Amino acid sequence: MSSHHIVRDDQEPALIIANGAACHPELLGQLLEWSPLVIVLDSAIERVMELDIKVDVLLGDFDRGFDPEKYQTSQYPLEIVHTPDQNKTDLEKAFDYLIERKIPAVNVVWATGRRADHTITNLTNIVRYRNLIKIVILDDHSKIFLLPNKFEKWYTAATPISLIPIGVVSGISSKNLVYPLENDTLTMGYRTGSSNAVSNDGIVTIIHTDGDLLLMECLD
């Protein structure tokens, strides 16, 4: 699994490799094939090097004696981005970097699993980037993204779908789900839309009026 760069078009999603649980090599390979820009957080660079992946950007706070310059030769050309701000996670700083470059979308892998606090933070913090960049977090079991107020997508019947509110989400209605919602409210920690499913082959529509709602396409 060496290089990517089959495409070089900033309209394709960039790829961020974080430092959670690794995904299956096939998933990573598919994402690398279509990613014009690969960013690796400093905490993951040694794991990425073992997979012989070409990296474009190495980003992080480079603390605890981390020396990013030693990767310049093996990863040439490599952009090194030092982000010492301790008030944000390295993943958030990677989002900021992409927004500054006006890249519209990004896929993120290795952002779940391992430490539960990191997983929860990574999933919930994407809501602050609404209208700034489209973020999709993927692992071997889920594809997770923030819904617009009206969402429509074609699915096959029985596809598992979960709706996870960040805080309180109101005015939720759906079409073509096994457990339909009709002007409902979901609240994190009290009532969520976990373990729903697509009723029939066709378009699923989900509407909500207020709040931040994550959709998880689940692979059991």
Side-chain angles (χ1 to χ4, degrees), residues 20-129:
C23 61
H24 192 280
E26 182 177 353
L27 172 60
L28 183 57
Q30 290 171 353
L31 294 171
L32 285 167
E33 183 176 357
W34 294 103
S35 295
L37 181 73
V38 175
I39 301 175
V40 174
L41 306 187
D42 60 3
S43 54
I45 185 61
E46 289 298 333
R47 297 168 63 198
V48 169
M49 293 283 288
E50 291 174 359
L51 298 175
D52 192 27
I53 294 171
K54 176 64 185 79
V55 176
D56 297 302
V57 179
L58 175 59
L59 180 148
D61 52 22
F62 307 147
D63 57 357
R64 292 170 293 202
F66 183 90
D67 179 15
E69 296 295 334
K70 71 179 184 179
Y71 302 103
Q72 283 282 21
T73 300
S74 60
Q75 290 290 334
Y76 182 85
L78 175 68
E79 180 181 359
I80 295 174
V81 180
H82 184 211
T83 54
D85 183 2
Q86 295 299 313
N87 294 316
K88 290 187 175 183
T89 68
D90 282 347
L91 182 56
E92 291 174 285
K93 290 180 277 190
F95 294 149
D96 292 339
Y97 168 86
L98 291 172
I99 292 166
E100 185 176 344
R101 285 192 53 169
K102 300 187 183 334
I103 292 175
V106 60
N107 294 317
V108 185
V109 292
W110 298 15
T112 60
R114 288 193 166 186
R115 284 180 52 171
D117 56 342
H118 290 173
T119 297
I120 293 170
T121 298
N122 291 340
L123 294 181
T124 56
N125 277 1
I126 65 175
V127 302
R128 72 178 60 181
Y129 293 95

